[in-house]
Amino acid sequence: MERTAVYPFTAIVGQEEMKLSLLLNVINPLLGGVLVKGEKGTAKSTAVRALAELLPPLDCVRGCRFHCDPEHREDWCDDCRDAWEDAAEVPSDWCPMRVVELPVNATEDRVAGTLDMETAIRQGKKKFEPGILADANRNILYVDEINLLDDHVVDILLDAAAMGVNTVEREGISYSHPARFVLVGTMNPEEGDIRPQLLDRFGLSVTVTGEHERENRIEVIKRRLAYERDTDAFLAQYAREQEELAQRILAARKLLPKGTIDDDTLGKVADLSLALGVDGHRADITVIKTALTNAAFHGRTRVERDDLLAAAKLALPHRMRRRPFEEGTLDWDRVTEILA
């Protein structure tokens, strides 16, 4: 059966905050992922799957089940270290960027992987059966209806996303492997909420709704019908925009390490978190990292006010103190005043 072509990212109408949050995370996976809240039919899944099509293939060590990067030996799995650590050249293959989906009924063993204890006891060897986190390394991990996922499994995901490593321990035996991925969770708030402690650990969060402008809704329908009527022609129509955005992502990745931010800007971010009553320091750090990434996306190394405003809108609302069953609300006038 022939694989259906993915709907182009650049053809998605509206949803600018969602698209920006996804792009910033693929430019800088250290942002900590994004949680997309929204009603059904608002292009959440479409945007995630389209994102992978923008990204270049991965250079992977040949035969590695964790897709290790031959150029970054410090991030290699144990198998690659044992086989190639002293090698001058490492054989590799190009692997397409993937969206790895995690089913809502996934168990801890299915997600993290398992250790074969019988082999460990009888032969004294570690035999590890990889899980979903192994597939997700250097790819995009997509969790639909993440609010319905078992809390313990969500903890495992967020720990791996934050550390870049997945560790499985059984009976005093442990196995670790690289698990660096872009985490994207989506949920419909009508089906239940996610614990505030877990919510805070997502780098960015956005809420999406259907288009409320008549012309935009018409454009959504037109594009979808055109895509289904003649997919190849539709893809060709957006090929140039797709290529330009893909090159912009690559340029931003190269520019990001050169980003700078002064003490005055750091002070404004600290003032902002204090004024809004945000707990902990994760919010401050995420706002700064997001602002630096947004600056790189726009071809700059120095953070400007617009970068801070964009970062605040994506990184702060879900970290606001709130009562149960209430949404975090951001006093935008206060934000613009502090960041003036």
Side-chain angles (χ1 to χ4, degrees):
M1 182 177 178
E2 188 176 349
R3 178 173 172 264
T4 304
V6 176
Y7 192 88
F9 191 88
T10 54
I12 297 172
V13 177
Q15 311 298 6
E16 298 304 326
E17 287 187 6
M18 175 177 68
K19 290 190 288 189
L20 178 61
S21 65
L22 291 171
L23 290 170
L24 294 181
N25 268 277
V26 296
I27 293 169
N28 183 5
L30 296 178
L31 290 181
V34 57
L35 176 65
V36 184
K37 296 181 175 183
E39 58 202 31
K40 300 183 293 291
T42 48
K44 299 189 297 295
S45 300
T46 300
V48 176
R49 294 187 178 95
L51 186 65
E53 297 294 311
L54 288 171
L55 305 175
L58 305 171
D59 190 15
C60 304
V61 175
R62 183 170 297 164
C64 176
R65 52 188 174 171
F66 306 111
H67 329 108
C68 285
D69 186 342
E71 298 298 321
H72 293 276
R73 300 186 178 216
E74 68 278 8
D75 296 328
W76 278 2
C77 65
D78 291 343
D79 295 343
C80 287
R81 291 183 192 280
D82 292 341
W84 306 107
E85 189 162 26
D86 297 326
E89 293 186 10
V90 180
S92 63
D93 295 305
W94 292 103
C95 307
M97 191 80 174
R98 296 172 53 210
V99 175
V100 178
E101 297 190 38
L102 189 150
V104 73
N105 61 349
T107 62
E108 178 182 346
D109 286 347
R110 178 72 185 93
V111 173
T114 58
L115 280 166
D116 186 336
M117 296 308 300
E118 185 176 347
T119 301
I121 293 170
R122 291 189 175 186
Q123 302 179 21
K125 297 180 180 179
K126 294 181 183 180
K127 184 179 180 182
F128 179 70
E129 293 296 330
I132 291 173
L133 291 181
D135 292 336
N137 187 42
R138 303 181 67 208
N139 285 299
I140 297 169
L141 179 58
Y142 175 47
V143 189
D144 193 17
E145 297 181 323
I146 193 169
N147 51 320
L148 304 182
L149 204 61
D150 182 80
D151 283 347
H152 182 57
V153 173
V154 178
D155 279 328
I156 293 172
L157 293 178
L158 293 172
D159 283 342
M163 302 298 295
V165 175
N166 174 47
T167 301
V168 178
E169 295 184 358
R170 298 287 187 276
E171 307 295 333
I173 300 173
S174 66
Y175 186 94
S176 297
H177 68 80
R180 299 181 181 275
F181 50 84
V182 175
L183 176 62
V184 182
T186 58
M187 59 176 279
N188 184 345
E190 295 176 356
E191 298 173 347
D193 210 343
I194 189 170
R195 282 195 290 130
Q197 298 93 320
L198 298 178
L199 187 61
D200 174 64
R201 294 179 62 187
F202 276 94
L204 310 179
S205 178
V206 295
T207 300
V208 296
T209 60
E211 292 296 325
H212 296 293
E213 296 293 332
R214 181 174 183 271
E215 294 304 317
N216 287 346
R217 293 183 78 93
I218 292 173
E219 188 62 25
V220 170
I221 299 169
K222 282 184 176 180
R223 293 188 186 185
R224 188 68 202 187
L225 292 177
Y227 167 74
E228 293 177 357
R229 183 167 51 248
D230 190 338
T231 301
D232 290 340
F234 188 81
L235 296 179
Q237 182 181 346
Y238 288 92
R240 182 174 179 179
E241 291 181 47
Q242 289 280 106
E243 178 61 24
E244 288 175 353
L245 183 54
Q247 292 302 319
R248 191 175 171 188
I249 290 170
L250 293 178
R253 285 178 173 177
K254 294 178 181 179
L255 198 60
L256 181 60
K258 303 175 183 177
T260 60
I261 196 160
D262 55 42
D263 287 346
D264 181 59
T265 302
L266 293 176
K268 287 182 178 180
V269 173
D271 290 341
L272 182 61
S273 293
L274 290 170
L276 298 178
V278 177
D279 293 325
H281 301 287
R282 187 177 281 124
D284 308 55
I285 295 169
T286 305
V287 168
I288 293 298
K289 289 162 67 174
T290 304
L292 285 165
T293 308
N294 192 70
F297 183 54
H298 287 86
R300 291 181 272 102
T301 57
R302 188 174 180 81
V303 168
E304 296 179 357
R305 182 171 180 265
D306 286 346
D307 301 315
L308 292 175
L309 290 171
K313 188 173 289 187
L314 298 175
L316 292 181
H318 64 295
R319 294 186 167 91
M320 302 292 294
R321 291 176 186 165
R322 56 178 182 160
R323 296 189 181 95
F325 310 111
E326 286 185 350
E327 288 290 331
T329 55
L330 193 62
D331 185 345
W332 194 244
D333 291 336
R334 191 79 184 279
V335 171
T336 55
E337 178 185 340
I338 295 172
L339 297 180

